[in-house]
Amino acid sequence: MYKEEFMRKAIRLSIDNAKKGGGPFGAVIVKNGKIIAEGVNRVTSKNDPTAHAEVEVIRNASKKLKNFSLKGCELYTSCEPCPMCLSAVYWSNLDRIYFGNTKKDAAKIGFRDDFIYHELSRPILKRKLKITQHLRDEALTAFEVWDLNDRKKEY
């Protein structure tokens, strides 16, 4: 259930991070009506292009809960998640996303979220990044081994 206090916390985190020179993004994860984790964009401070606020908060929440699944949790984020972060949300099984700024707002200040969304909608051979497939038959061996492993932990 949406609560303004959680969205305001994510926004405050984004403003504070921007004042310190970090990316203007903040996020919190809520479970049972309580914030269990916070995250801000740490791309430049960590020299890690994946250290977006949403990825950071997912990592923090998973560590705290000692579980890769965040089922039963909700994400409050200061901006509509980029494609990478949205994928991380799906992989982490979060129940819901609440966001403030849009990807169009992010584009206006120089962030490429909208470009990446557009690229993902294009066929692989029409994307700007050159992508080619090789050694599929060999690569499938890992999938076959995993599929037949009775000790696997599905996610």
Side-chain angles (χ1 to χ4, degrees):
M1 172 192 253
Y2 173 76
K3 289 196 177 177
E4 280 187 8
E5 65 187 276
F6 301 138
M7 181 57 75
R8 285 198 169 101
K9 178 64 175 179
I11 293 168
R12 273 195 312 278
L13 288 168
S14 71
I15 293 168
D16 291 346
N17 203 50
K19 285 179 180 177
K20 295 174 188 171
F25 306 97
V28 298
I29 289 181
V30 174
K31 183 171 183 151
N32 299 325
K34 293 184 180 178
I35 294 174
I36 61 161
E38 299 178 0
V40 295
N41 182 287
R42 299 215 185 278
V43 169
T44 57
S45 64
K46 286 186 167 183
N47 291 317
D48 179 353
T50 69
H52 290 201
E54 297 89 345
V55 172
E56 291 288 292
V57 76
I58 287 168
R59 289 172 178 160
N60 294 339
S62 294
K63 185 176 182 178
K64 181 172 184 170
L65 296 177
K66 296 179 173 76
N67 198 328
F68 60 83
S69 177
L70 298 177
K71 188 121 184 84
C73 298
E74 297 177 327
L75 171 69
Y76 287 76
T77 181
S78 63
C79 188
E80 181 177 1
C82 74
M84 176 186 70
C85 293
L86 184 59
S87 296
V89 168
Y90 277 107
W91 281 116
S92 66
N93 299 309
L94 283 159
D95 291 353
R96 186 170 185 136
I97 300 171
Y98 300 101
F99 69 91
N101 295 313
T102 67
K103 61 186 174 185
K104 298 283 185 198
D105 297 327
K108 287 180 186 173
I109 61 167
F111 289 92
R112 303 180 300 164
D113 305 27
D114 205 34
F115 163 75
I116 298 170
Y117 272 108
H118 176 73
E119 277 289 291
L120 291 173
S121 70
R122 299 176 66 156
I124 287 177
L125 295 177
K126 300 222 182 223
R127 294 180 188 167
K128 292 188 187 264
L129 179 64
K130 301 303 174 211
I131 303 171
T132 57
Q133 182 180 30
H134 298 278
L135 302 175
R136 179 174 180 261
D137 291 341
E138 289 181 39
L140 279 173
T141 302
F143 283 10
E144 292 162 358
V145 169
W146 187 85
D147 192 39
L148 296 172
N149 188 336
D150 58 355
R151 295 183 325 226
K152 70 182 171 230
K153 188 170 187 177
E154 294 193 32
Y155 52 100

